[in-house]
Amino acid sequence: MADGRTWLADLVSTVVPGDAASALAAEAELERKTKPRGSLGRLEALAVQIAAARRSLSLEALPGAVLVAAADHGYAAAGVSAYPQEVTRQMLRNIVAGGAAVSVLARASGARLELVDVGVIDGEANPRIRTHRLAPGTRDATAGPAMTPDEARAAVELGARITTELAADGIAVLALGEMGIGNTTAASAIAAALLGVAPERVCGRGTGIDDAGWERKVATVAGALKTNGIDASDPLHTLTAVGGLEIAFLVGAMLGGAAARLVLVLDGFIVGSAALVATRLAPPVRDYMVASHLSPEPGHGLLLSELGLTPLLDWQLRLGEGSGATLALPLLRSAGAILAEMATFAGAGVTDTGR
Amino acid sequence: MADGRTWLADLVSTVVPGDAASALAAEAELERKTKPRGSLGRLEALAVQIAAARRSLSLEALPGAVLVAAADHGYAAAGVSAYPQEVTRQMLRNIVAGGAAVSVLARASGARLELVDVGVIDGEANPRIRTHRLAPGTRDATAGPAMTPDEARAAVELGARITTELAADGIAVLALGEMGIGNTTAASAIAAALLGVAPERVCGRGTGIDDAGWERKVATVAGALKTNGIDASDPLHTLTAVGGLEIAFLVGAMLGGAAARLVLVLDGFIVGSAALVATRLAPPVRDYMVASHLSPEPGHGLLLSELGLTPLLDWQLRLGEGSGATLALPLLRSAGAILAEMATFAGAGVTDTGR
């Protein structure tokens, strides 16, 4: 890899495909369970994928965590959000205080919540926030790169390091989320660039902007892509030039998480944009990804198609924070339990007709 | 109601619509939560429905149970299933032993499992099975009514009584399931009759029958409908003549459950056929129903459309036992927690732009 990117090549080289032998063994074991073959549909497919990711059929316990990365965006100044920029830090406080949707859903799902400040403006010091403020938000990408190469590298490496720690702590399934006013604009720029489509096709209403706001958003994305001379064949440059600190963190979290055999549960459009970057850098990372839901953001369906991921839920969720991914965690735990705990025809003395 | 059916009129009269005031209060409360309006999509709609059913916004804890009704079917003799009839009792044992899909999913979902033998041939005595064997399975419906009016009444009343007990025990959300070799044929007969469609449109592959088996199934349904002179305007007669003991039990469980303000989580096609009967008898019972998933059985989508229910999951689940409904229980708990536990903009000090 060119221009001093051996760090990235090193990180990418740690990601290996899911384990085909574990997948085959899981499929064979599911054939022996007391149910008509294939009758648990997607739940069986999920169990097989988790077995391949974990290299194991012992999926009784799948300890879960939610990893939420937060940062601010130069894009916010362009009036692309229905909410002012200070909401990023206000929501950070709300998340750790337990009142945000993701906080509530993490409790309901029995998952540990980890919040990382990767670059929130005026973010507060709080022992329950992992503070690694790499920059005071990104720069205005319509005037130049949103991040420096060093900032992007630091964010990616931080994401990889923290997921590696979580895996060492026994986490098996990781819901990924984000917080950052303006970040659907960053995600739209990444998606437009890497999917090769016009900004109009991927820009949505985000937190709820009106028509004029949407037009500003489209123009902002177009401007950022033009200013930075985006080359879709270089996902790291795209990420650096038009992305965001929390998105770069998530790319690293996916690469590090896959290397550590974590199941990566994607939230909506913004996490999806990170997934696209990660997959372009290291295609096998895809084997570890589960799409929790389909967002109404128009770019999300395009991203999931490109990634070849079928969402678990189609619930019109568009909050972010990792809320959709966290909501889906019990479904993954159930898939693991089916593989690990169901009786076989022989073991339970149930007549097997082979159907 | 004609011919000595005052018992049914009495039961139906206990079902009242969901509480509109609670629904409005829940909607207003969700507007104050720290999220863009409506951004939790279906999760918000679920919370509103649960509030209306429970007549309460205090949905922090929603204790769940899974109620599985089992019975045998005269239809089995016609070769309409890929599995022999003894599998009903074998699976009953497997369910209580903890090895069936529903057993595993109930544990994973933190729900209590209640198993009722309403009429299993050679069903065993087991302290963990509620044994109320009202008949040794149903009769051959192609030769006459599957049940006597007294049997059907006993099954309906039993279902209502047991759900009333569960509600008194503190259960709030009830996943409904069934077990009975041959019961997709009974469900198909009910669905064809009450939807007014040809048997071909509602008969599916059940546990996995081949083409010849499917043709036998269609002919069996057609024969049962013809022999019994089904009148779609009389859902109780339809249930009695071509249904099953566990389906009649589920109809009663829905009526009694709605009267006791339980949220009723429907499993697949067979439970759906009971839901159609219950709704025809007492339309307000619909307000308490949540469709957990869409089954590949062709009649299921027709049933859900008629009921006006949108499934939570589209996962190609076709096992039955209440497995899909049980899988969905954590999603309902999450919906309740969102309403009960999320902070408001004012409470959390987050800027509210009204979007």
Short mmCIF file of all heavy atoms in Angstrom, two decimals, chain A residues 34 36-37 39-42 82-83 86 90 94 99 104 107 207-208 312-313 315 317-319 337 341-343 350-351 353 355, chain B residues 34 36-37 39-42 82-83 86 90 94 99 104 107 207-208 312-313 315 317-319 337 341-343 348 350-351 353 355:
data_model
loop_
_atom_site.label_atom_id
_atom_site.label_comp_id
_atom_site.label_asym_id
_atom_site.label_seq_id
_atom_site.Cartn_x
_atom_site.Cartn_y
_atom_site.Cartn_z
N THR A 34 -34.35 -31.00 16.69
CA THR A 34 -35.76 -31.43 16.62
C THR A 34 -36.65 -30.35 16.02
O THR A 34 -37.38 -29.63 16.71
CB THR A 34 -36.28 -31.76 18.03
OG1 THR A 34 -35.92 -30.69 18.93
CG2 THR A 34 -35.67 -33.05 18.54
N PRO A 36 -38.37 -29.52 11.67
CA PRO A 36 -38.22 -29.75 10.23
C PRO A 36 -37.00 -28.97 9.71
O PRO A 36 -36.74 -27.86 10.16
CB PRO A 36 -39.53 -29.19 9.66
CG PRO A 36 -40.52 -29.31 10.79
CD PRO A 36 -39.72 -29.05 12.03
N ARG A 37 -36.29 -29.56 8.79
CA ARG A 37 -35.07 -28.93 8.24
C ARG A 37 -35.36 -27.51 7.74
O ARG A 37 -36.30 -27.30 6.97
CB ARG A 37 -34.53 -29.74 7.07
CG ARG A 37 -33.50 -30.79 7.45
CD ARG A 37 -34.10 -31.89 8.26
NE ARG A 37 -33.13 -32.93 8.63
CZ ARG A 37 -33.43 -33.92 9.46
NH1 ARG A 37 -34.62 -34.01 10.00
NH2 ARG A 37 -32.52 -34.83 9.76
N SER A 39 -36.57 -25.03 9.13
CA SER A 39 -37.82 -24.37 9.53
C SER A 39 -37.61 -23.16 10.43
O SER A 39 -38.56 -22.44 10.71
CB SER A 39 -38.76 -25.37 10.22
OG SER A 39 -38.16 -25.89 11.39
N LEU A 40 -36.38 -22.94 10.88
CA LEU A 40 -36.14 -21.70 11.64
C LEU A 40 -35.49 -20.61 10.78
O LEU A 40 -34.98 -19.61 11.30
CB LEU A 40 -35.35 -21.98 12.92
CG LEU A 40 -36.21 -22.61 14.03
CD1 LEU A 40 -35.37 -23.00 15.23
CD2 LEU A 40 -37.32 -21.65 14.47
N GLY A 41 -35.53 -20.81 9.46
CA GLY A 41 -35.19 -19.75 8.51
C GLY A 41 -33.97 -18.92 8.87
O GLY A 41 -32.87 -19.43 9.06
N ARG A 42 -34.19 -17.64 8.95
CA ARG A 42 -33.10 -16.69 9.19
C ARG A 42 -32.38 -16.96 10.51
O ARG A 42 -31.19 -16.67 10.63
CB ARG A 42 -33.68 -15.27 9.20
CG ARG A 42 -32.66 -14.16 9.33
CD ARG A 42 -31.88 -14.01 8.03
NE ARG A 42 -30.69 -13.20 8.20
CZ ARG A 42 -30.62 -11.88 8.02
NH1 ARG A 42 -31.69 -11.22 7.67
NH2 ARG A 42 -29.49 -11.23 8.19
N ALA A 82 -31.29 19.19 11.46
CA ALA A 82 -32.42 19.84 12.14
C ALA A 82 -32.06 20.21 13.57
O ALA A 82 -32.84 20.88 14.25
CB ALA A 82 -33.63 18.92 12.12
N TYR A 83 -30.89 19.80 14.03
CA TYR A 83 -30.48 20.06 15.41
C TYR A 83 -29.16 20.82 15.45
O TYR A 83 -28.30 20.61 14.58
CB TYR A 83 -30.35 18.74 16.19
CG TYR A 83 -31.69 18.14 16.55
CD1 TYR A 83 -32.40 17.39 15.62
CD2 TYR A 83 -32.26 18.37 17.80
CE1 TYR A 83 -33.66 16.87 15.93
CE2 TYR A 83 -33.51 17.85 18.12
CZ TYR A 83 -34.20 17.10 17.19
OH TYR A 83 -35.44 16.59 17.50
N GLU A 86 -24.45 21.66 19.40
CA GLU A 86 -24.27 21.35 20.83
C GLU A 86 -25.02 20.09 21.25
O GLU A 86 -24.76 19.54 22.32
CB GLU A 86 -24.69 22.54 21.71
CG GLU A 86 -26.20 22.77 21.80
CD GLU A 86 -26.66 24.04 21.09
OE1 GLU A 86 -25.95 24.47 20.14
OE2 GLU A 86 -27.70 24.60 21.47
N GLN A 90 -24.59 17.28 24.34
CA GLN A 90 -25.74 17.07 25.23
C GLN A 90 -26.19 15.60 25.21
O GLN A 90 -26.51 15.02 26.25
CB GLN A 90 -26.91 17.96 24.78
CG GLN A 90 -26.67 19.45 24.99
CD GLN A 90 -27.75 20.30 24.32
OE1 GLN A 90 -28.55 19.82 23.51
NE2 GLN A 90 -27.76 21.59 24.65
N ASN A 94 -26.49 12.58 27.99
CA ASN A 94 -27.75 11.83 28.12
C ASN A 94 -27.51 10.32 27.99
O ASN A 94 -28.10 9.52 28.72
CB ASN A 94 -28.72 12.31 27.02
CG ASN A 94 -30.15 11.81 27.21
OD1 ASN A 94 -30.58 11.53 28.33
ND2 ASN A 94 -30.87 11.71 26.12
N GLY A 99 -30.43 7.95 29.84
CA GLY A 99 -31.73 8.37 29.35
C GLY A 99 -31.92 8.31 27.85
O GLY A 99 -33.04 8.50 27.35
N VAL A 104 -31.29 2.91 27.17
CA VAL A 104 -32.44 2.11 27.57
C VAL A 104 -32.39 0.74 26.90
O VAL A 104 -32.59 -0.30 27.54
CB VAL A 104 -33.75 2.85 27.20
CG1 VAL A 104 -34.96 1.97 27.40
CG2 VAL A 104 -33.87 4.15 28.00
N ARG A 107 -29.72 -1.60 28.34
CA ARG A 107 -30.18 -2.24 29.58
C ARG A 107 -31.18 -3.35 29.26
O ARG A 107 -31.08 -4.46 29.79
CB ARG A 107 -30.86 -1.21 30.49
CG ARG A 107 -29.92 -0.28 31.22
CD ARG A 107 -30.61 0.40 32.41
NE ARG A 107 -31.76 1.21 32.06
CZ ARG A 107 -31.70 2.48 31.66
NH1 ARG A 107 -30.54 3.10 31.55
NH2 ARG A 107 -32.80 3.15 31.38
N THR A 207 -32.04 13.84 10.76
CA THR A 207 -32.86 14.03 11.97
C THR A 207 -34.19 14.69 11.66
O THR A 207 -35.01 14.89 12.55
CB THR A 207 -32.10 14.93 12.96
OG1 THR A 207 -31.55 16.04 12.25
CG2 THR A 207 -30.98 14.17 13.64
N GLY A 208 -34.41 15.07 10.38
CA GLY A 208 -35.71 15.65 10.04
C GLY A 208 -35.62 17.02 9.40
O GLY A 208 -36.41 17.93 9.72
N LEU A 312 -32.13 -7.50 9.51
CA LEU A 312 -32.98 -8.33 10.36
C LEU A 312 -34.36 -7.72 10.54
O LEU A 312 -35.35 -8.44 10.63
CB LEU A 312 -32.34 -8.52 11.74
CG LEU A 312 -30.95 -9.18 11.78
CD1 LEU A 312 -30.47 -9.30 13.22
CD2 LEU A 312 -31.00 -10.56 11.12
N LEU A 313 -34.40 -6.41 10.65
CA LEU A 313 -35.66 -5.71 10.92
C LEU A 313 -35.88 -4.63 9.86
O LEU A 313 -34.93 -4.01 9.40
CB LEU A 313 -35.60 -5.01 12.29
CG LEU A 313 -35.39 -5.89 13.52
CD1 LEU A 313 -35.08 -5.03 14.75
CD2 LEU A 313 -36.63 -6.73 13.78
N TRP A 315 -38.04 -1.62 10.29
CA TRP A 315 -38.88 -0.96 11.29
C TRP A 315 -38.86 0.56 11.17
O TRP A 315 -39.31 1.24 12.11
CB TRP A 315 -38.42 -1.37 12.70
CG TRP A 315 -38.90 -2.70 13.15
CD1 TRP A 315 -39.21 -3.77 12.37
CD2 TRP A 315 -39.14 -3.10 14.51
NE1 TRP A 315 -39.62 -4.82 13.17
CE2 TRP A 315 -39.58 -4.44 14.48
CE3 TRP A 315 -39.01 -2.48 15.74
CZ2 TRP A 315 -39.90 -5.15 15.64
CZ3 TRP A 315 -39.32 -3.19 16.89
CH2 TRP A 315 -39.77 -4.51 16.84
N LEU A 317 -36.50 2.63 11.54
CA LEU A 317 -35.68 3.22 12.59
C LEU A 317 -34.68 4.18 11.94
O LEU A 317 -34.04 3.82 10.95
CB LEU A 317 -34.91 2.13 13.34
CG LEU A 317 -35.72 0.98 13.94
CD1 LEU A 317 -34.78 -0.07 14.52
CD2 LEU A 317 -36.68 1.47 15.00
N ARG A 318 -34.56 5.38 12.48
CA ARG A 318 -33.61 6.34 11.92
C ARG A 318 -33.01 7.23 13.01
O ARG A 318 -32.65 8.37 12.77
CB ARG A 318 -34.28 7.20 10.84
CG ARG A 318 -35.53 7.91 11.32
CD ARG A 318 -36.17 8.73 10.21
NE ARG A 318 -37.42 9.31 10.66
CZ ARG A 318 -37.52 10.44 11.38
NH1 ARG A 318 -36.46 11.13 11.70
NH2 ARG A 318 -38.70 10.87 11.78
N LEU A 319 -32.90 6.68 14.21
CA LEU A 319 -32.37 7.47 15.31
C LEU A 319 -30.86 7.43 15.37
O LEU A 319 -30.21 8.39 15.76
CB LEU A 319 -32.96 6.95 16.64
CG LEU A 319 -32.40 7.60 17.90
CD1 LEU A 319 -32.58 9.12 17.86
CD2 LEU A 319 -33.08 7.04 19.13
N ALA A 337 -28.32 -19.60 20.92
CA ALA A 337 -28.90 -20.59 21.84
C ALA A 337 -29.53 -21.75 21.08
O ALA A 337 -29.45 -22.90 21.51
CB ALA A 337 -29.94 -19.90 22.74
N GLU A 341 -28.18 -25.17 22.24
CA GLU A 341 -29.00 -25.78 23.29
C GLU A 341 -30.12 -26.69 22.82
O GLU A 341 -30.65 -27.46 23.62
CB GLU A 341 -29.60 -24.67 24.18
CG GLU A 341 -28.55 -23.83 24.88
CD GLU A 341 -29.15 -22.69 25.70
OE1 GLU A 341 -30.34 -22.77 26.07
OE2 GLU A 341 -28.42 -21.71 25.95
N MET A 342 -30.53 -26.59 21.56
CA MET A 342 -31.65 -27.44 21.13
C MET A 342 -31.25 -28.91 21.15
O MET A 342 -30.11 -29.27 20.85
CB MET A 342 -32.13 -27.06 19.72
CG MET A 342 -33.35 -26.15 19.69
SD MET A 342 -33.96 -25.92 17.99
CE MET A 342 -34.90 -27.46 17.76
N ALA A 343 -32.22 -29.76 21.46
CA ALA A 343 -32.00 -31.20 21.44
C ALA A 343 -31.97 -31.71 20.01
O ALA A 343 -32.53 -31.10 19.10
CB ALA A 343 -33.13 -31.89 22.21
N VAL A 350 -37.27 -38.25 19.30
CA VAL A 350 -38.33 -37.78 18.41
C VAL A 350 -38.10 -38.41 17.04
O VAL A 350 -36.97 -38.44 16.54
CB VAL A 350 -38.32 -36.23 18.30
CG1 VAL A 350 -39.35 -35.74 17.28
CG2 VAL A 350 -38.60 -35.61 19.67
N THR A 351 -39.19 -38.95 16.46
CA THR A 351 -39.10 -39.61 15.16
C THR A 351 -38.61 -38.62 14.10
O THR A 351 -39.17 -37.54 13.96
CB THR A 351 -40.48 -40.15 14.74
OG1 THR A 351 -40.96 -40.99 15.79
CG2 THR A 351 -40.39 -40.94 13.44
N THR A 353 -38.08 -38.00 10.17
CA THR A 353 -38.42 -38.48 8.83
C THR A 353 -37.49 -37.89 7.78
O THR A 353 -37.67 -38.12 6.59
CB THR A 353 -39.87 -38.10 8.45
OG1 THR A 353 -39.96 -36.67 8.43
CG2 THR A 353 -40.85 -38.65 9.47
N ARG A 355 -37.32 -34.89 6.88
CA ARG A 355 -37.87 -33.69 6.22
C ARG A 355 -37.45 -32.43 6.97
O ARG A 355 -37.13 -32.46 8.12
CB ARG A 355 -39.40 -33.75 6.17
CG ARG A 355 -39.90 -34.85 5.27
CD ARG A 355 -39.60 -34.52 3.81
NE ARG A 355 -40.01 -35.63 2.93
CZ ARG A 355 -41.26 -35.87 2.56
NH1 ARG A 355 -42.25 -35.11 2.99
NH2 ARG A 355 -41.54 -36.89 1.76
N THR B 34 -35.91 12.20 24.08
CA THR B 34 -34.73 12.75 23.41
C THR B 34 -34.39 11.98 22.14
O THR B 34 -33.48 11.14 22.10
CB THR B 34 -33.52 12.71 24.36
OG1 THR B 34 -33.43 11.41 24.95
CG2 THR B 34 -33.67 13.73 25.45
N PRO B 36 -35.31 12.57 17.52
CA PRO B 36 -36.16 13.19 16.51
C PRO B 36 -37.53 12.50 16.51
O PRO B 36 -37.61 11.28 16.69
CB PRO B 36 -35.40 12.94 15.20
CG PRO B 36 -33.96 12.81 15.63
CD PRO B 36 -34.02 12.12 16.96
N ARG B 37 -38.58 13.28 16.33
CA ARG B 37 -39.94 12.73 16.35
C ARG B 37 -40.09 11.54 15.41
O ARG B 37 -39.73 11.64 14.22
CB ARG B 37 -40.94 13.80 15.94
CG ARG B 37 -41.54 14.59 17.09
CD ARG B 37 -40.50 15.43 17.75
NE ARG B 37 -41.05 16.23 18.86
CZ ARG B 37 -40.29 16.98 19.64
NH1 ARG B 37 -38.97 17.03 19.46
NH2 ARG B 37 -40.82 17.66 20.62
N SER B 39 -38.55 8.87 15.16
CA SER B 39 -37.34 8.24 14.62
C SER B 39 -37.14 6.80 15.10
O SER B 39 -36.26 6.11 14.60
CB SER B 39 -36.09 9.07 14.96
OG SER B 39 -35.94 9.17 16.35
N LEU B 40 -37.97 6.35 16.05
CA LEU B 40 -37.88 4.94 16.43
C LEU B 40 -38.97 4.09 15.77
O LEU B 40 -39.22 2.95 16.16
CB LEU B 40 -37.85 4.77 17.95
CG LEU B 40 -36.47 5.12 18.55
CD1 LEU B 40 -36.52 5.06 20.07
CD2 LEU B 40 -35.38 4.17 18.04
N GLY B 41 -39.61 4.66 14.76
CA GLY B 41 -40.50 3.90 13.86
C GLY B 41 -41.41 2.90 14.56
O GLY B 41 -42.20 3.25 15.44
N ARG B 42 -41.30 1.68 14.14
CA ARG B 42 -42.16 0.61 14.65
C ARG B 42 -42.05 0.42 16.15
O ARG B 42 -43.01 0.00 16.81
CB ARG B 42 -41.79 -0.70 13.93
CG ARG B 42 -42.69 -1.88 14.25
CD ARG B 42 -44.04 -1.72 13.59
NE ARG B 42 -45.03 -2.63 14.12
CZ ARG B 42 -45.27 -3.85 13.64
NH1 ARG B 42 -44.61 -4.29 12.60
NH2 ARG B 42 -46.20 -4.62 14.19
N ALA B 82 -45.53 -34.45 7.04
CA ALA B 82 -44.28 -35.16 6.79
C ALA B 82 -43.84 -35.96 8.02
O ALA B 82 -42.88 -36.72 7.96
CB ALA B 82 -43.19 -34.16 6.40
N TYR B 83 -44.56 -35.80 9.13
CA TYR B 83 -44.19 -36.48 10.38
C TYR B 83 -45.36 -37.32 10.89
O TYR B 83 -46.52 -36.94 10.71
CB TYR B 83 -43.79 -35.45 11.45
CG TYR B 83 -42.41 -34.87 11.19
CD1 TYR B 83 -42.23 -33.82 10.29
CD2 TYR B 83 -41.29 -35.41 11.81
CE1 TYR B 83 -40.97 -33.31 10.03
CE2 TYR B 83 -40.02 -34.90 11.56
CZ TYR B 83 -39.87 -33.85 10.67
OH TYR B 83 -38.62 -33.36 10.41
N GLU B 86 -47.28 -39.65 16.29
CA GLU B 86 -46.67 -39.79 17.62
C GLU B 86 -45.70 -38.65 17.92
O GLU B 86 -45.30 -38.45 19.07
CB GLU B 86 -45.94 -41.13 17.78
CG GLU B 86 -44.64 -41.27 16.96
CD GLU B 86 -44.78 -42.20 15.77
OE1 GLU B 86 -45.91 -42.36 15.27
OE2 GLU B 86 -43.75 -42.78 15.36
N GLN B 90 -44.20 -36.89 21.43
CA GLN B 90 -42.73 -36.85 21.58
C GLN B 90 -42.25 -35.41 21.75
O GLN B 90 -41.37 -35.13 22.57
CB GLN B 90 -42.06 -37.47 20.35
CG GLN B 90 -42.29 -38.97 20.21
CD GLN B 90 -41.81 -39.51 18.86
OE1 GLN B 90 -41.54 -38.74 17.93
NE2 GLN B 90 -41.73 -40.83 18.74
N ASN B 94 -40.26 -33.30 24.68
CA ASN B 94 -39.07 -32.50 24.33
C ASN B 94 -39.22 -31.04 24.80
O ASN B 94 -38.26 -30.45 25.29
CB ASN B 94 -38.87 -32.56 22.81
CG ASN B 94 -37.53 -32.02 22.34
OD1 ASN B 94 -36.55 -32.01 23.08
ND2 ASN B 94 -37.49 -31.56 21.10
N GLY B 99 -35.57 -29.07 25.41
CA GLY B 99 -34.77 -29.22 24.20
C GLY B 99 -35.40 -28.71 22.92
O GLY B 99 -34.74 -28.66 21.89
N VAL B 104 -35.84 -23.44 24.28
CA VAL B 104 -34.58 -22.68 24.22
C VAL B 104 -34.87 -21.19 24.11
O VAL B 104 -34.26 -20.36 24.81
CB VAL B 104 -33.74 -23.17 23.01
CG1 VAL B 104 -32.53 -22.28 22.79
CG2 VAL B 104 -33.33 -24.63 23.21
N ARG B 107 -36.17 -19.61 27.35
CA ARG B 107 -35.06 -19.30 28.28
C ARG B 107 -34.30 -18.07 27.82
O ARG B 107 -34.01 -17.16 28.60
CB ARG B 107 -34.09 -20.48 28.36
CG ARG B 107 -34.57 -21.66 29.17
CD ARG B 107 -33.41 -22.59 29.55
NE ARG B 107 -32.71 -23.17 28.43
CZ ARG B 107 -33.08 -24.27 27.78
NH1 ARG B 107 -34.18 -24.92 28.14
NH2 ARG B 107 -32.37 -24.73 26.78
N THR B 207 -44.81 -29.06 7.64
CA THR B 207 -43.51 -29.53 8.10
C THR B 207 -42.60 -29.95 6.95
O THR B 207 -41.46 -30.32 7.18
CB THR B 207 -43.69 -30.72 9.05
OG1 THR B 207 -44.62 -31.63 8.46
CG2 THR B 207 -44.20 -30.29 10.40
N GLY B 208 -43.13 -29.94 5.72
CA GLY B 208 -42.27 -30.27 4.59
C GLY B 208 -42.80 -31.41 3.73
O GLY B 208 -42.03 -32.29 3.31
N LEU B 312 -43.60 -8.34 12.75
CA LEU B 312 -42.36 -7.71 13.22
C LEU B 312 -41.15 -8.24 12.46
O LEU B 312 -40.20 -7.51 12.21
CB LEU B 312 -42.15 -7.99 14.71
CG LEU B 312 -43.24 -7.48 15.67
CD1 LEU B 312 -42.87 -7.83 17.11
CD2 LEU B 312 -43.43 -5.98 15.53
N LEU B 313 -41.17 -9.52 12.13
CA LEU B 313 -40.03 -10.16 11.48
C LEU B 313 -40.48 -10.86 10.22
O LEU B 313 -41.59 -11.41 10.17
CB LEU B 313 -39.40 -11.22 12.42
CG LEU B 313 -38.86 -10.74 13.76
CD1 LEU B 313 -38.53 -11.95 14.66
CD2 LEU B 313 -37.61 -9.88 13.56
N TRP B 315 -38.68 -13.67 8.56
CA TRP B 315 -37.50 -14.52 8.71
C TRP B 315 -37.69 -15.94 8.18
O TRP B 315 -36.88 -16.81 8.49
CB TRP B 315 -37.10 -14.58 10.19
CG TRP B 315 -36.34 -13.39 10.67
CD1 TRP B 315 -36.39 -12.10 10.20
CD2 TRP B 315 -35.40 -13.37 11.75
NE1 TRP B 315 -35.54 -11.31 10.91
CE2 TRP B 315 -34.92 -12.05 11.87
CE3 TRP B 315 -34.91 -14.35 12.62
CZ2 TRP B 315 -33.97 -11.68 12.83
CZ3 TRP B 315 -33.98 -13.97 13.58
CH2 TRP B 315 -33.51 -12.65 13.68
N LEU B 317 -39.68 -18.22 9.12
CA LEU B 317 -39.87 -19.16 10.23
C LEU B 317 -41.14 -19.97 9.97
O LEU B 317 -42.17 -19.40 9.64
CB LEU B 317 -40.03 -18.41 11.55
CG LEU B 317 -38.94 -17.40 11.93
CD1 LEU B 317 -39.34 -16.64 13.20
CD2 LEU B 317 -37.61 -18.10 12.13
N ARG B 318 -41.07 -21.28 10.13
CA ARG B 318 -42.25 -22.11 9.90
C ARG B 318 -42.26 -23.32 10.82
O ARG B 318 -42.79 -24.37 10.50
CB ARG B 318 -42.33 -22.56 8.44
CG ARG B 318 -41.09 -23.27 7.96
CD ARG B 318 -41.20 -23.68 6.50
NE ARG B 318 -39.95 -24.26 6.04
CZ ARG B 318 -39.58 -25.53 6.22
NH1 ARG B 318 -40.37 -26.36 6.86
NH2 ARG B 318 -38.42 -25.98 5.79
N LEU B 319 -41.67 -23.16 12.01
CA LEU B 319 -41.59 -24.28 12.94
C LEU B 319 -42.84 -24.39 13.79
O LEU B 319 -43.26 -25.48 14.15
CB LEU B 319 -40.35 -24.12 13.83
CG LEU B 319 -40.20 -25.15 14.95
CD1 LEU B 319 -40.20 -26.57 14.39
CD2 LEU B 319 -38.93 -24.90 15.73
N ALA B 337 -39.73 -0.42 27.37
CA ALA B 337 -38.67 0.31 28.08
C ALA B 337 -38.46 1.70 27.47
O ALA B 337 -38.20 2.67 28.19
CB ALA B 337 -37.38 -0.50 28.05
N GLU B 341 -38.69 4.50 30.11
CA GLU B 341 -37.39 4.85 30.68
C GLU B 341 -36.61 5.94 29.97
O GLU B 341 -35.67 6.50 30.54
CB GLU B 341 -36.51 3.59 30.74
CG GLU B 341 -37.08 2.50 31.63
CD GLU B 341 -36.25 1.24 31.63
OE1 GLU B 341 -35.04 1.30 31.30
OE2 GLU B 341 -36.80 0.16 31.93
N MET B 342 -36.94 6.26 28.72
CA MET B 342 -36.16 7.29 28.03
C MET B 342 -36.36 8.65 28.67
O MET B 342 -37.44 8.98 29.15
CB MET B 342 -36.52 7.36 26.53
CG MET B 342 -35.58 6.62 25.61
SD MET B 342 -35.98 6.93 23.86
CE MET B 342 -35.18 8.53 23.62
N ALA B 343 -35.29 9.46 28.66
CA ALA B 343 -35.37 10.82 29.18
C ALA B 343 -36.11 11.72 28.20
O ALA B 343 -36.17 11.44 26.99
CB ALA B 343 -33.96 11.36 29.40
N ALA B 348 -33.40 16.00 30.27
CA ALA B 348 -31.98 15.71 30.01
C ALA B 348 -31.21 16.95 29.58
O ALA B 348 -30.00 16.88 29.37
CB ALA B 348 -31.87 14.64 28.92
N VAL B 350 -31.46 18.61 26.72
CA VAL B 350 -31.08 18.50 25.30
C VAL B 350 -31.93 19.49 24.51
O VAL B 350 -33.15 19.56 24.71
CB VAL B 350 -31.27 17.06 24.78
CG1 VAL B 350 -31.00 16.98 23.28
CG2 VAL B 350 -30.37 16.09 25.54
N THR B 351 -31.29 20.26 23.63
CA THR B 351 -32.00 21.26 22.84
C THR B 351 -33.05 20.58 21.96
O THR B 351 -32.75 19.63 21.24
CB THR B 351 -30.99 22.01 21.93
OG1 THR B 351 -29.97 22.55 22.76
CG2 THR B 351 -31.69 23.12 21.17
N THR B 353 -35.62 21.05 18.92
CA THR B 353 -36.01 21.92 17.81
C THR B 353 -37.41 21.59 17.31
O THR B 353 -37.86 22.16 16.33
CB THR B 353 -35.02 21.80 16.64
OG1 THR B 353 -35.08 20.45 16.15
CG2 THR B 353 -33.60 22.11 17.07
N ARG B 355 -38.27 18.97 15.82
CA ARG B 355 -38.25 18.07 14.66
C ARG B 355 -38.30 16.61 15.11
O ARG B 355 -37.98 16.27 16.22
CB ARG B 355 -36.96 18.28 13.84
CG ARG B 355 -36.94 19.60 13.15
CD ARG B 355 -38.01 19.68 12.05
NE ARG B 355 -38.06 21.01 11.45
CZ ARG B 355 -37.16 21.48 10.56
NH1 ARG B 355 -36.16 20.70 10.19
NH2 ARG B 355 -37.29 22.68 10.08
#
